[in-house]
Structures are given as structure tokens and as C-alpha cells.
Amino acid sequence: MALVPCQVLRVAILLSYCSILCNYKAIEMPSHQTYGGSWKFLTFIDLVIQAVFFGICVLTDLSSLLTRGSGNQEQERQLKKLISLRDWMLAVLAFPVGLFVVAVFWIIYAYDREMIYPKLLDNFIPGWLNHGM
């Protein structure tokens, strides 16, 4: 029942997303005080989707480790449901939204940085947090 490197990687990714979320929410920005708060930004929504997705991945890995070899049909059926939820979330939410956010952000950033990420935001958001998001 040893951990596989991909399972350890999923835990590390989940922890990094959670730390980025905590650091982002701790920043006092004027836009967070207006209507919708940080939920009006597609980048933040994508970050939450990715964190939930990797949380489900870790839960699936833990469930498969705990139910391996038990022979219980009910546990295997629940594990299959969890795996199908994980696969659905990747195909419908995590991958398309993540790809769209990254592609659109960097295309607009390369075209005109001030349009999508003004230099004023450098005072609020550190560079490592921007690249992490």
C-alpha cells in the first residue's frame, strides 16, 4: 500500500492551490470590495475549480488505496462513482476553463499588458502569486 509518485504529486498540487487561494484572499485590493468580490474574475474561478478538482483526485487516490483488495462490492461501486465524477470534472470544467484562462490571459498580456494586468497591480499582487494563478 505504498504511495505512487503521481499521488504524492496530486497532494502537492492541491496544497499549492490552497496556499495560492489563501494568499490571494489575504490581499487587500479595491476590486475585492466591489460587487462580486474576487468571484467576478475568471482567473479566481478557475483557481477554485482546479483546487476542487485536485481535491477530488486526492480523495479518489485515498479511497482506492483504502479499498484495494477488500472485495466489498459497495465500496467498489462508490469508488467508480468518484472516479467518474473526477473524469467528468476534468473533461467539462478543469481542463477547458483552465486552458481558456491561461491562453486568453497570456495572449492579451503579450498584446497589451495594461489591458489585462496593469502595472498598478504589481503593488498588490507579488509576481510569484501572479504566475502561480
Side-chain angles (χ1 to χ4, degrees):
M1 235 166 68
L3 288 176
V4 181
C6 70
Q7 294 167 337
V8 174
L9 181 64
R10 287 180 183 154
V11 171
I13 292 171
L14 174 64
L15 292 175
S16 71
Y17 276 128
C18 290
S19 69
I20 289 170
L21 271 171
C22 291
N23 283 312
Y24 182 76
K25 290 303 282 180
I27 294 173
E28 292 296 326
M29 287 182 23
S31 61
H32 290 178
Q33 310 304 324
T34 61
Y35 177 76
S38 54
W39 288 98
K40 66 180 163 236
F41 301 116
L42 191 56
T43 305
F44 180 75
I45 294 170
D46 178 47
L47 187 61
V48 171
I49 289 172
Q50 297 294 329
V52 169
F53 170 70
F54 278 101
I56 292 173
C57 286
V58 168
L59 184 63
T60 303
D61 290 340
L62 288 175
S63 297
S64 66
L65 281 174
L66 295 175
T67 60
R68 185 176 295 158
S70 68
N72 189 340
Q73 295 294 332
E74 179 62 27
Q75 287 179 343
E76 289 180 15
R77 191 173 62 79
Q78 294 296 328
L79 180 61
K80 286 181 182 180
K81 284 183 182 179
L82 195 59
I83 290 171
S84 66
L85 172 67
R86 179 197 66 192
D87 294 344
W88 176 86
M89 189 160 182
L90 176 67
V92 174
L93 290 174
F95 182 74
V97 174
L99 185 67
F100 177 78
V101 166
V102 169
V104 168
F105 177 85
W106 287 111
I107 288 170
I108 295 174
Y109 188 91
Y111 178 72
D112 182 15
R113 179 197 168 149
E114 291 297 316
M115 185 187 307
I116 197 158
Y117 191 74
K119 287 197 183 276
L120 172 71
L121 290 179
D122 288 338
N123 298 331
F124 297 104
I125 302 175
W128 68 268
L129 186 57
N130 178 35
H131 289 289
M133 288 186 68

